Amino acid sequence: MKKIILLVTAFIGMNSLQAQEITPSIAVVGEGVVKVTPDQVLIKVRVESEGSSAQQVKSDNDKAIDKVLKYTKSMGVKEGDVKTEYVNLNKNYDYQTKEYKYVANQSISILLKDLNKYSEFTEGLLNAGINRIDGVTFKSTEIETHNSKARMEAIKDAKKKAEEYASTLGQSVGKALTISETGSISAPQPIYRMEMMKSADSSGGGDMETIAVGEMVIEAKVNVTFHLK
């Protein structure tokens, strides 16, 4: 009988302890969005040469790249802002002519820190010998500052949501119990809806729209659990 009483008492004690350990809480997801005007642009370009001689094709390609690199220096682009992405030399068989052809490719990325030079710069690259522009990515020099701001906005949003839910229930929000970031901060996404960069139109003498600078959107998400009072 004493054993039964002791077991019941222990069981009640454990339940009471577990009840005391349960903390009323509310979990929400906060989102922070920061819009930024870019101040740099990363341009990826390619030089491609083709011919029947591997040596000649490689030589032609190297000369064209040398001309492009010299042009970037003349425009004030630092060596550290120019990077070789890849160099390829391929041997292809042409079934129509029954001959082999060689194709040399070199790709370089160029970080242009003055957006006002964009139109002049890209035109000069084409004249220098590039065959194509593979991509244009806008950037911001203050990206870490903007990332931090997006995180803070996400925390504020989480607290606001928690307070709205709690007030509806006639309760209030206490201290944060847990905070976790949902994934990583998203890569800045451009919004092509702002004023476009302009350059002189040589044919008509007016302004010609050449590229939409737009804005970059930086997003952050956090999971926050608050004490519910």
Side-chain angles (χ1 to χ4, degrees):
M1 186 66 180
K2 289 182 179 180
K3 290 183 179 180
I4 295 175
I5 294 173
L6 288 173
L7 288 172
V8 172
T9 303
F11 180 75
I12 294 174
M14 290 179 61
N15 284 342
S16 299
L17 185 60
Q18 290 176 353
Q20 291 174 1
E21 290 177 350
I22 296 175
T23 302
S25 61
I26 179 171
V28 293
V29 177
E31 298 178 330
V33 177
V34 176
K35 294 181 181 180
V36 183
T37 300
D39 55 11
Q40 296 181 343
V41 60
L42 183 67
I43 307 169
K44 291 188 178 182
V45 301
R46 188 194 310 180
V47 174
E48 183 175 303
S49 305
E50 183 177 322
S52 57
S53 168
Q55 291 182 341
Q56 186 60 48
V57 166
K58 183 64 169 62
S59 176
D60 292 343
N61 199 259
D62 288 342
K63 289 178 181 178
I65 285 292
D66 179 63
K67 190 176 179 181
V68 170
L69 294 178
K70 286 178 178 176
Y71 172 72
T72 61
K73 288 182 181 179
S74 71
M75 290 294 288
V77 179
K78 297 180 180 179
E79 289 186 9
D81 294 329
V82 180
K83 176 184 176 183
T84 299
E85 297 291 338
Y86 62 79
V87 179
N88 290 331
L89 179 60
N90 299 316
K91 182 180 180 181
N92 302 324
Y93 184 73
D94 190 330
Y95 289 94
Q96 293 183 344
T97 62
K98 308 297 181 181
E99 296 178 346
Y100 282 100
K101 286 186 178 181
Y102 296 88
V103 179
N105 283 285
Q106 288 197 53
S107 174
I108 59 176
S109 60
I110 306 163
L111 182 63
L112 183 64
K113 295 181 178 179
D114 186 353
L115 288 179
N116 293 322
K117 292 182 178 179
Y118 177 83
S119 298
E120 177 188 358
F121 186 72
T122 51
E123 183 178 350
L125 287 174
L126 290 167
N127 293 332
I130 69 166
N131 301 99
R132 57 189 292 176
I133 296 177
D134 288 327
V136 175
T137 305
F138 293 108
K139 293 178 170 289
S140 171
T141 54
E142 300 295 328
I143 191 64
E144 289 304 322
T145 299
H146 300 314
N147 286 344
S148 296
K149 187 176 180 181
R151 292 188 186 99
M152 290 187 286
E153 292 298 323
I155 290 293
K156 291 177 182 177
D157 182 55
K159 187 176 181 180
K160 180 182 177 182
K161 288 178 178 177
E163 289 174 342
E164 288 175 349
Y165 287 131
S167 62
T168 303
L169 298 170
Q171 295 178 273
S172 61
V173 173
K175 294 181 179 181
L177 301 175
T178 62
I179 301 175
S180 63
E181 193 169 86
T182 304
S184 57
I185 292 182
S186 63
Q189 300 296 321
I191 302 178
Y192 301 109
R193 58 178 178 77
M194 302 296 288
E195 291 186 1
M196 302 181 81
M197 296 183 68
K198 300 183 183 223
S199 65
D201 183 357
S202 57
S203 61
D207 285 338
M208 179 176 63
E209 296 179 338
T210 59
I211 188 171
V213 178
E215 292 180 324
M216 296 189 303
V217 175
I218 301 171
E219 297 179 322
K221 289 185 179 181
V222 293
N223 294 318
V224 186
T225 302
F226 293 95
H227 178 211
L228 189 61
K229 298 188 289 184

